[in-house]
Amino acid sequence: MQQWFVDFAERIDDGDPTYLACEECGQAALPPRTVCPECSSRTLEERSLSETATVTASTKIFSSIPEYADETPYIVVIATFDEGVRLTGQLRGAEGIEPGETVTVGVEEREDGWLVTFSPTD
Ligand SMILES: [Zn+2]
């Protein structure tokens, strides 16, 4: 597990997620990098990330890598934050979810590291 992701997950766990954004054009840079992927500016700053995101896609997983085998079937959600940051996580608290629905981001600490989770807001 990469260090930036561990740091990112710990800040979600603290309720204060942040990400890097370009000061020039506002493009989100997550995973963090030193140069803006959009305009090549080197002036990136840390900004707060909203705790809710909009579902872009979801997929039900029936078979998985051994670490997750006893959790199948589970639902993987791709969600996009207002800031443009896109994350993948496991759905919690619902049997299914549709694109366009709003979810709250969370994390679970596991033996193999952090897992991003999304829960419906209602
Ligand atoms: Zn930029």
Side-chain angles (χ1 to χ4, degrees):
M1 185 158 287
Q2 296 180 52
Q3 187 58 44
W4 75 264
F5 182 77
V6 174
D7 294 341
F8 179 67
E10 286 175 350
R11 286 194 300 266
I12 293 176
D13 195 43
D14 289 342
D16 183 27
T18 60
Y19 71 110
L20 281 183
C22 175
E23 284 187 16
E24 301 297 324
C25 74
Q27 173 77 27
L30 191 86
R33 56 202 96 187
T34 54
V35 176
C36 173
E38 186 68 25
C39 74
S40 303
S41 164
R42 290 179 178 275
T43 51
L44 302 180
E45 63 174 5
E46 192 169 20
R47 292 184 187 169
S48 291
L49 184 66
S50 54
E51 290 184 29
T52 57
T54 304
V55 174
T56 307
S58 66
T59 308
K60 198 166 193 175
I61 306 292
F62 291 98
S63 62
S64 181
I65 56 174
E67 286 82 353
Y68 296 117
D70 56 2
E71 297 175 33
T72 54
Y74 59 86
I75 294 175
V76 169
V77 175
I78 299 171
T80 308
F81 294 80
D82 288 347
E83 295 84 354
V85 172
R86 184 170 290 190
L87 281 182
T88 302
Q90 272 192 35
L91 183 65
R92 291 289 183 267
E95 296 297 311
I97 197 150
E98 296 296 322
E101 289 190 56
T102 305
V103 287
T104 306
V105 66
V107 286
E108 293 173 5
E109 193 167 15
R110 305 166 60 103
E111 281 181 23
D112 57 341
W114 291 93
L115 174 74
V116 173
T117 61
F118 290 111
S119 309
T121 49
D122 3 285

